[in-house]
Amino acid sequence: MSRSEPPARTVRVRTVVAVVLAVLALTFVFQNTGSKSIRFLFWSTSMPAWIWLLVVFVAGVVAGSLFPWFRRRARR
């Protein structure tokens, strides 16, 4: 019989990929520190680019967690 590790010690490939993508995204965000102007409809403001990129990244994470029906359902 083969022994498997306890569930608490196993790391899913999905988790590793998510962490690597998050590190790459944050690296990209913090390397772009110049000031940028953003205009949306009648609203305009200027901030460092890393803040805008971080906001977009967080919005993507929130959107991904709010819409779970886009994920593939597990077959039973």
Coordinates of all heavy atoms in Angstrom, one line a residue:
M1 N 0.8 -1.2 0.0 CA 0.0 0.0 0.0 C 0.9 1.2 0.0 O 1.9 1.3 0.7 CB -0.9 0.0 1.2 CG -1.9 -1.0 1.3 SD -3.2 -0.4 2.3 CE -4.5 -1.6 1.8
S2 N 0.4 2.2 -0.7 CA 1.2 3.5 -0.7 C 0.6 4.4 0.3 O -0.6 4.5 0.5 CB 1.1 4.1 -2.1 OG -0.2 4.5 -2.4
R3 N 1.5 5.2 0.9 CA 1.0 6.1 1.9 C 1.0 7.5 1.3 O 1.9 7.9 0.6 CB 2.0 6.1 3.1 CG 1.9 4.8 3.8 CD 3.0 4.6 4.9 NE 3.5 5.7 5.5 CZ 4.4 5.7 6.5 NH1 4.9 4.7 6.9 NH2 4.9 6.8 7.0
S4 N -0.1 8.2 1.5 CA -0.2 9.5 1.0 C 0.0 10.5 2.2 O -0.3 10.2 3.3 CB -1.6 9.8 0.3 OG -2.6 9.6 1.3
E5 N 0.4 11.7 1.8 CA 0.6 12.8 2.8 C -0.8 13.2 3.4 O -1.8 13.1 2.7 CB 1.3 13.9 2.2 CG 2.7 13.6 1.8 CD 3.4 14.9 1.3 OE1 3.1 16.0 1.7 OE2 4.3 14.7 0.5
P6 N -0.8 13.7 4.6 CA -2.0 14.3 5.1 C -2.5 15.4 4.3 O -1.7 16.2 3.7 CB -1.6 14.8 6.5 CG -0.3 14.3 6.8 CD 0.3 13.8 5.5
P7 N -3.8 15.6 4.2 CA -4.4 16.7 3.3 C -3.8 18.1 3.7 O -3.7 18.9 2.8 CB -5.9 16.7 3.6 CG -6.1 15.3 4.2 CD -4.9 14.9 4.8
A8 N -3.4 18.3 4.9 CA -2.9 19.7 5.3 C -1.6 20.0 4.7 O -1.2 21.1 4.5 CB -2.9 19.8 6.8
R9 N -0.8 18.9 4.3 CA 0.5 19.2 3.8 C 0.6 19.2 2.2 O 1.6 19.5 1.7 CB 1.4 18.1 4.3 CG 1.5 18.2 5.8 CD 2.5 17.3 6.3 NE 3.8 17.9 6.0 CZ 5.0 17.6 6.5 NH1 5.0 16.7 7.4 NH2 6.1 18.2 6.2
T10 N -0.5 18.7 1.6 CA -0.4 18.7 0.1 C -0.7 20.1 -0.4 O -1.5 20.9 0.1 CB -1.5 17.7 -0.5 OG1 -2.8 18.1 0.0 CG2 -1.2 16.3 0.0
V11 N 0.0 20.4 -1.5 CA -0.2 21.7 -2.2 C -0.7 21.5 -3.6 O -0.1 20.7 -4.3 CB 1.2 22.5 -2.2 CG1 1.0 23.8 -3.0 CG2 1.7 22.7 -0.9
R12 N -1.8 22.1 -3.9 CA -2.4 21.9 -5.2 C -1.7 22.8 -6.2 O -1.1 23.8 -5.9 CB -3.9 22.4 -5.2 CG -4.7 21.5 -4.4 CD -6.2 21.9 -4.5 NE -7.0 21.0 -3.8 CZ -8.3 21.2 -3.7 NH1 -8.9 22.2 -4.3 NH2 -9.0 20.3 -3.0
V13 N -1.6 22.2 -7.4 CA -1.0 23.0 -8.5 C -1.7 24.3 -8.7 O -1.0 25.3 -9.0 CB -1.0 22.1 -9.8 CG1 -0.5 22.9 -11.0 CG2 -0.3 20.8 -9.6
R14 N -3.0 24.3 -8.6 CA -3.7 25.6 -8.8 C -3.3 26.6 -7.8 O -3.1 27.8 -8.1 CB -5.2 25.3 -8.5 CG -6.1 26.4 -8.8 CD -7.6 26.2 -8.5 NE -7.9 24.8 -8.4 CZ -9.2 24.4 -8.3 NH1 -10.2 25.2 -8.2 NH2 -9.5 23.1 -8.2
T15 N -3.0 26.2 -6.6 CA -2.5 27.2 -5.5 C -1.1 27.7 -5.9 O -0.9 28.9 -5.8 CB -2.4 26.5 -4.2 OG1 -3.7 26.0 -3.9 CG2 -2.0 27.5 -3.1
V16 N -0.2 26.9 -6.4 CA 1.1 27.3 -6.8 C 1.0 28.3 -8.0 O 1.7 29.3 -8.0 CB 2.0 26.1 -7.1 CG1 3.3 26.5 -7.7 CG2 2.2 25.2 -5.9
V17 N 0.2 27.9 -9.0 CA 0.0 28.8 -10.1 C -0.5 30.2 -9.7 O -0.1 31.2 -10.1 CB -0.9 28.2 -11.2 CG1 -1.2 29.1 -12.3 CG2 -0.2 26.9 -11.8
A18 N -1.5 30.2 -8.8 CA -2.1 31.4 -8.3 C -1.1 32.3 -7.6 O -1.0 33.5 -7.8 CB -3.3 31.1 -7.4
V19 N -0.2 31.7 -6.8 CA 0.8 32.4 -6.0 C 1.8 33.0 -7.0 O 2.2 34.2 -6.9 CB 1.5 31.5 -4.9 CG1 2.7 32.2 -4.4 CG2 0.5 31.2 -3.8
V20 N 2.2 32.2 -8.0 CA 3.2 32.7 -8.9 C 2.7 33.8 -9.7 O 3.3 34.9 -9.9 CB 3.7 31.5 -9.9 CG1 4.5 32.1 -11.1 CG2 4.5 30.5 -9.1
L21 N 1.4 33.7 -10.2 CA 0.8 34.8 -10.9 C 0.6 36.1 -10.1 O 0.8 37.2 -10.6 CB -0.6 34.4 -11.5 CG -0.5 33.4 -12.7 CD1 -1.9 33.0 -13.0 CD2 0.2 34.0 -13.8
A22 N 0.3 35.9 -8.8 CA 0.1 37.1 -7.9 C 1.5 37.8 -7.7 O 1.6 39.0 -7.7 CB -0.4 36.6 -6.6
V23 N 2.6 37.0 -7.6 CA 3.9 37.6 -7.4 C 4.3 38.3 -8.6 O 4.8 39.4 -8.6 CB 4.9 36.5 -7.0 CG1 6.3 37.0 -7.1 CG2 4.6 36.0 -5.6
L24 N 4.1 37.7 -9.8 CA 4.4 38.4 -11.1 C 3.6 39.7 -11.3 O 4.1 40.7 -11.7 CB 4.1 37.4 -12.3 CG 5.1 36.3 -12.4 CD1 4.7 35.4 -13.5 CD2 6.5 36.8 -12.7
A25 N 2.3 39.6 -10.9 CA 1.5 40.8 -11.1 C 1.9 41.9 -10.1 O 2.0 43.1 -10.5 CB 0.0 40.5 -10.8
L26 N 2.2 41.6 -8.9 CA 2.7 42.6 -7.9 C 4.1 43.1 -8.3 O 4.3 44.3 -8.1 CB 2.7 42.0 -6.5 CG 1.3 41.7 -5.9 CD1 1.4 41.0 -4.6 CD2 0.6 43.0 -5.8
T27 N 4.9 42.3 -8.9 CA 6.2 42.8 -9.4 C 6.0 43.8 -10.5 O 6.7 44.8 -10.5 CB 7.1 41.6 -9.9 OG1 7.3 40.7 -8.8 CG2 8.4 42.1 -10.4
F28 N 5.1 43.5 -11.4 CA 4.8 44.4 -12.5 C 4.2 45.7 -11.9 O 4.6 46.8 -12.4 CB 3.8 43.8 -13.4 CG 3.4 44.7 -14.5 CD1 4.2 44.9 -15.6 CD2 2.2 45.3 -14.5 CE1 3.8 45.7 -16.7 CE2 1.8 46.2 -15.6 CZ 2.6 46.3 -16.6
V29 N 3.4 45.6 -10.9 CA 2.8 46.8 -10.3 C 3.8 47.7 -9.7 O 3.8 48.9 -10.0 CB 1.7 46.4 -9.3 CG1 1.3 47.6 -8.4 CG2 0.5 45.9 -10.0
F30 N 4.7 47.1 -8.9 CA 5.7 48.0 -8.2 C 6.8 48.4 -9.0 O 7.6 49.3 -8.6 CB 6.1 47.2 -6.9 CG 5.0 47.1 -5.9 CD1 4.5 45.9 -5.5 CD2 4.5 48.3 -5.3 CE1 3.4 45.8 -4.6 CE2 3.4 48.2 -4.4 CZ 2.9 47.0 -4.1
Q31 N 7.0 47.9 -10.2 CA 8.0 48.4 -11.1 C 7.5 49.6 -11.9 O 8.3 50.3 -12.5 CB 8.5 47.3 -12.1 CG 9.4 46.3 -11.4 CD 9.9 45.3 -12.4 OE1 9.4 45.1 -13.5 NE2 11.0 44.6 -12.0
N32 N 6.2 49.9 -12.0 CA 5.6 51.0 -12.7 C 5.2 52.0 -11.7 O 4.0 52.1 -11.3 CB 4.5 50.5 -13.5 CG 4.9 49.6 -14.7 OD1 5.5 50.0 -15.6 ND2 4.7 48.3 -14.5
T33 N 6.1 52.9 -11.4 CA 5.8 53.9 -10.3 C 5.6 55.3 -10.8 O 5.4 56.2 -10.0 CB 7.0 53.9 -9.3 OG1 8.2 54.2 -10.0 CG2 7.1 52.6 -8.6
G34 N 5.7 55.5 -12.1 CA 5.5 56.9 -12.7 C 4.0 57.3 -12.5 O 3.1 56.5 -12.4
S35 N 3.8 58.6 -12.5 CA 2.5 59.2 -12.4 C 1.7 59.1 -13.7 O 2.3 59.4 -14.7 CB 2.6 60.6 -11.9 OG 1.3 61.1 -11.6
K36 N 0.5 58.7 -13.6 CA -0.4 58.6 -14.8 C -1.7 59.3 -14.5 O -2.2 59.4 -13.4 CB -0.7 57.1 -15.1 CG 0.5 56.3 -15.4 CD 1.1 56.7 -16.7 CE 2.4 55.9 -16.9 NZ 3.2 56.3 -18.0
S37 N -2.3 59.9 -15.6 CA -3.6 60.5 -15.5 C -4.6 59.6 -16.1 O -4.4 59.0 -17.1 CB -3.6 61.8 -16.3 OG -4.8 62.4 -16.2
I38 N -5.7 59.4 -15.4 CA -6.8 58.6 -15.8 C -8.1 59.4 -16.0 O -8.4 60.2 -15.1 CB -7.1 57.5 -14.7 CG1 -5.9 56.6 -14.5 CG2 -8.3 56.6 -15.1 CD1 -5.4 55.8 -15.7
R39 N -8.7 59.2 -17.1 CA -10.0 59.9 -17.4 C -11.1 58.8 -17.6 O -10.9 57.9 -18.4 CB -9.9 60.8 -18.6 CG -9.0 62.0 -18.3 CD -9.1 63.0 -19.4 NE -8.6 62.3 -20.7 CZ -8.7 62.9 -21.9 NH1 -9.3 64.0 -22.0 NH2 -8.2 62.2 -22.9
F40 N -12.2 58.9 -17.0 CA -13.3 58.0 -17.1 C -14.6 58.8 -17.1 O -14.9 59.4 -16.1 CB -13.3 56.9 -16.0 CG -14.5 56.0 -16.2 CD1 -14.5 55.0 -17.2 CD2 -15.5 56.0 -15.3 CE1 -15.5 54.1 -17.3 CE2 -16.5 55.1 -15.4 CZ -16.5 54.2 -16.4
L41 N -15.3 58.9 -18.2 CA -16.5 59.7 -18.4 C -16.2 61.1 -18.1 O -15.4 61.8 -18.8 CB -17.6 59.1 -17.6 CG -18.1 57.7 -18.0 CD1 -19.2 57.2 -17.0 CD2 -18.6 57.6 -19.4
F42 N -16.7 61.6 -17.0 CA -16.5 63.0 -16.6 C -15.5 63.2 -15.4 O -15.3 64.2 -14.9 CB -17.8 63.7 -16.2 CG -18.8 63.7 -17.3 CD1 -19.9 62.8 -17.3 CD2 -18.6 64.5 -18.5 CE1 -20.8 62.8 -18.4 CE2 -19.5 64.4 -19.5 CZ -20.6 63.6 -19.5
W43 N -14.9 62.1 -15.1 CA -14.0 62.0 -13.9 C -12.6 61.9 -14.4 O -12.2 61.2 -15.3 CB -14.4 60.8 -13.1 CG -13.6 60.6 -11.9 CD1 -13.4 61.4 -10.8 CD2 -12.7 59.4 -11.6 NE1 -12.6 60.8 -9.9 CE2 -12.2 59.6 -10.3 CE3 -12.4 58.3 -12.3 CZ2 -11.3 58.7 -9.8 CZ3 -11.6 57.4 -11.7 CH2 -11.0 57.6 -10.5
S44 N -11.7 62.7 -13.8 CA -10.3 62.7 -14.2 C -9.4 62.9 -12.9 O -9.7 63.7 -12.1 CB -10.0 63.8 -15.2 OG -8.6 63.9 -15.5
T45 N -8.4 62.1 -12.8 CA -7.5 62.2 -11.7 C -6.1 61.7 -12.1 O -5.9 61.0 -13.1 CB -8.0 61.5 -10.4 OG1 -7.2 61.8 -9.3 CG2 -8.1 60.0 -10.7
S46 N -5.1 62.0 -11.3 CA -3.7 61.6 -11.5 C -3.1 61.0 -10.3 O -3.3 61.6 -9.2 CB -2.9 62.8 -12.0 OG -1.6 62.4 -12.3
M47 N -2.5 59.8 -10.4 CA -1.9 59.1 -9.3 C -0.7 58.3 -9.9 O -0.6 58.1 -11.1 CB -2.9 58.1 -8.7 CG -3.9 58.7 -7.8 SD -4.7 57.4 -6.9 CE -6.3 58.1 -6.6
P48 N 0.1 57.8 -9.0 CA 1.2 56.9 -9.4 C 0.6 55.7 -10.1 O -0.5 55.2 -9.7 CB 1.9 56.5 -8.1 CG 1.6 57.6 -7.2 CD 0.2 58.1 -7.5
A49 N 1.2 55.2 -11.1 CA 0.7 54.1 -11.9 C 0.6 52.8 -11.1 O -0.3 52.0 -11.3 CB 1.7 53.8 -13.1
W50 N 1.4 52.6 -10.1 CA 1.3 51.4 -9.3 C 0.0 51.3 -8.5 O -0.5 50.2 -8.3 CB 2.5 51.2 -8.4 CG 2.6 52.2 -7.2 CD1 3.3 53.3 -7.2 CD2 2.1 52.0 -5.9 NE1 3.1 53.9 -6.0 CE2 2.4 53.1 -5.2 CE3 1.3 51.0 -5.3 CZ2 2.0 53.3 -3.9 CZ3 0.9 51.2 -4.0 CH2 1.2 52.3 -3.3
I51 N -0.5 52.5 -8.1 CA -1.8 52.5 -7.4 C -2.9 52.0 -8.4 O -3.8 51.2 -8.0 CB -2.1 53.9 -6.8 CG1 -1.1 54.2 -5.7 CG2 -3.5 53.9 -6.3 CD1 -1.2 55.5 -5.1
W52 N -2.9 52.6 -9.6 CA -3.9 52.2 -10.6 C -3.8 50.7 -10.9 O -4.8 50.0 -11.0 CB -3.8 53.0 -11.9 CG -4.1 54.4 -11.7 CD1 -3.2 55.5 -11.9 CD2 -5.3 55.0 -11.3 NE1 -3.9 56.6 -11.6 CE2 -5.2 56.4 -11.3 CE3 -6.6 54.4 -11.0 CZ2 -6.2 57.2 -11.0 CZ3 -7.6 55.3 -10.7 CH2 -7.4 56.7 -10.7
L53 N -2.6 50.2 -11.1 CA -2.4 48.8 -11.4 C -2.9 47.9 -10.2 O -3.5 46.8 -10.4 CB -1.0 48.5 -11.8 CG -0.6 49.2 -13.1 CD1 1.0 49.1 -13.2 CD2 -1.2 48.5 -14.3
L54 N -2.6 48.3 -9.0 CA -3.0 47.6 -7.9 C -4.5 47.5 -7.7 O -5.1 46.5 -7.4 CB -2.3 48.1 -6.6 CG -2.5 47.3 -5.3 CD1 -1.8 46.0 -5.5 CD2 -1.8 48.1 -4.2
V55 N -5.1 48.7 -8.0 CA -6.6 48.7 -8.0 C -7.2 47.8 -9.0 O -8.2 47.1 -8.7 CB -7.1 50.2 -8.2 CG1 -8.6 50.3 -8.5 CG2 -6.7 51.1 -7.0
V56 N -6.7 47.8 -10.2 CA -7.2 46.9 -11.2 C -7.0 45.4 -10.8 O -7.8 44.6 -11.0 CB -6.6 47.2 -12.6 CG1 -6.9 46.1 -13.6 CG2 -7.0 48.6 -13.1
F57 N -5.8 45.1 -10.3 CA -5.5 43.7 -9.8 C -6.5 43.3 -8.7 O -7.1 42.2 -8.8 CB -4.1 43.7 -9.3 CG -3.7 42.4 -8.7 CD1 -3.5 41.2 -9.5 CD2 -3.5 42.2 -7.3 CE1 -3.2 40.0 -9.0 CE2 -3.2 41.0 -6.8 CZ -3.0 39.9 -7.6
V58 N -6.7 44.2 -7.7 CA -7.7 43.8 -6.6 C -9.1 43.7 -7.2 O -9.8 42.8 -6.8 CB -7.6 44.9 -5.5 CG1 -8.7 44.7 -4.5 CG2 -6.2 44.8 -4.8
A59 N -9.5 44.6 -8.1 CA -10.8 44.4 -8.7 C -11.0 43.1 -9.5 O -12.0 42.5 -9.4 CB -11.0 45.6 -9.7
G60 N -9.9 42.6 -10.1 CA -9.9 41.3 -10.8 C -10.1 40.2 -9.8 O -10.9 39.2 -10.0
V61 N -9.4 40.3 -8.7 CA -9.5 39.2 -7.6 C -10.9 39.2 -7.1 O -11.5 38.2 -6.9 CB -8.5 39.5 -6.5 CG1 -8.7 38.6 -5.3 CG2 -7.1 39.2 -7.1
V62 N -11.5 40.4 -6.8 CA -12.8 40.5 -6.2 C -13.8 40.0 -7.2 O -14.7 39.2 -6.9 CB -13.1 42.0 -5.8 CG1 -14.6 42.1 -5.5 CG2 -12.3 42.4 -4.6
A63 N -13.7 40.4 -8.5 CA -14.6 39.9 -9.5 C -14.6 38.4 -9.7 O -15.6 37.7 -9.8 CB -14.3 40.6 -10.9
G64 N -13.4 37.8 -9.6 CA -13.2 36.4 -9.7 C -13.9 35.7 -8.5 O -14.4 34.6 -8.7
S65 N -13.9 36.3 -7.4 CA -14.5 35.6 -6.2 C -16.0 35.8 -6.2 O -16.8 35.1 -5.6 CB -13.9 36.1 -4.9 OG -14.1 37.4 -4.7
L66 N -16.5 36.9 -6.8 CA -17.9 37.2 -6.8 C -18.7 36.4 -7.8 O -19.9 36.2 -7.7 CB -18.2 38.7 -7.1 CG -17.8 39.6 -6.0 CD1 -18.0 41.1 -6.4 CD2 -18.6 39.4 -4.7
F67 N -18.0 35.9 -8.8 CA -18.7 35.2 -9.9 C -18.2 33.7 -10.0 O -17.5 33.4 -11.0 CB -18.5 35.9 -11.3 CG -19.0 37.3 -11.2 CD1 -18.1 38.4 -11.2 CD2 -20.4 37.6 -11.2 CE1 -18.6 39.7 -11.2 CE2 -20.9 38.9 -11.2 CZ -20.0 39.9 -11.2
P68 N -18.5 32.9 -9.0 CA -18.0 31.6 -9.0 C -18.6 30.7 -10.1 O -18.1 29.6 -10.4 CB -18.4 31.0 -7.7 CG -19.5 31.8 -7.3 CD -19.3 33.2 -7.9
W69 N -19.7 31.1 -10.7 CA -20.3 30.3 -11.8 C -19.5 30.2 -13.0 O -19.7 29.4 -13.9 CB -21.7 30.7 -12.1 CG -21.9 32.1 -12.6 CD1 -21.7 32.5 -13.8 CD2 -22.2 33.2 -11.8 NE1 -21.9 33.9 -13.9 CE2 -22.2 34.3 -12.6 CE3 -22.6 33.4 -10.4 CZ2 -22.6 35.6 -12.2 CZ3 -22.9 34.7 -10.0 CH2 -22.9 35.8 -10.9
F70 N -18.5 31.1 -13.2 CA -17.6 31.0 -14.3 C -16.5 29.9 -14.2 O -15.9 29.4 -15.1 CB -16.8 32.3 -14.5 CG -17.7 33.4 -15.0 CD1 -17.6 34.7 -14.4 CD2 -18.5 33.2 -16.1 CE1 -18.4 35.7 -14.9 CE2 -19.3 34.3 -16.6 CZ -19.2 35.5 -16.0
R71 N -16.4 29.4 -13.0 CA -15.5 28.3 -12.7 C -16.1 27.0 -13.2 O -17.3 26.8 -13.1 CB -15.1 28.2 -11.3 CG -14.4 29.4 -10.8 CD -14.0 29.2 -9.3 NE -13.8 30.5 -8.7 CZ -14.0 30.9 -7.5 NH1 -14.5 30.0 -6.7 NH2 -13.8 32.1 -7.0
R72 N -15.3 26.0 -13.6 CA -15.8 24.7 -14.0 C -16.2 24.0 -12.7 O -15.5 23.9 -11.7 CB -14.7 24.0 -14.7 CG -15.1 22.7 -15.2 CD -14.0 21.9 -15.9 NE -13.6 22.7 -17.1 CZ -12.6 22.4 -17.8 NH1 -11.9 21.3 -17.6 NH2 -12.2 23.2 -18.9
R73 N -17.4 23.4 -12.8 CA -17.9 22.6 -11.7 C -17.3 21.2 -11.7 O -17.1 20.6 -12.8 CB -19.4 22.5 -11.8 CG -20.1 23.8 -11.8 CD -21.5 23.7 -11.2 NE -22.2 24.9 -11.2 CZ -22.3 25.8 -10.3 NH1 -21.6 25.6 -9.2 NH2 -22.9 26.9 -10.4
A74 N -17.0 20.7 -10.5 CA -16.4 19.4 -10.4 C -17.5 18.3 -10.8 O -18.6 18.4 -10.4 CB -15.9 19.1 -9.0
R75 N -17.0 17.3 -11.6 CA -17.9 16.2 -11.9 C -18.0 15.2 -10.8 O -17.0 14.9 -10.1 CB -17.4 15.5 -13.2 CG -17.4 16.4 -14.4 CD -16.9 15.6 -15.6 NE -17.0 16.5 -16.8 CZ -16.5 16.2 -17.9 NH1 -16.0 15.0 -18.1 NH2 -16.6 17.0 -18.9
R76 N -19.1 14.7 -10.6 CA -19.3 13.7 -9.5 C -19.4 12.3 -10.0 O -19.7 12.0 -11.0 CB -20.6 14.0 -8.8 CG -20.5 15.4 -8.0 CD -21.8 15.6 -7.3 NE -21.7 17.0 -6.7 CZ -22.6 17.5 -6.0 NH1 -23.7 16.9 -5.7 NH2 -22.4 18.7 -5.5

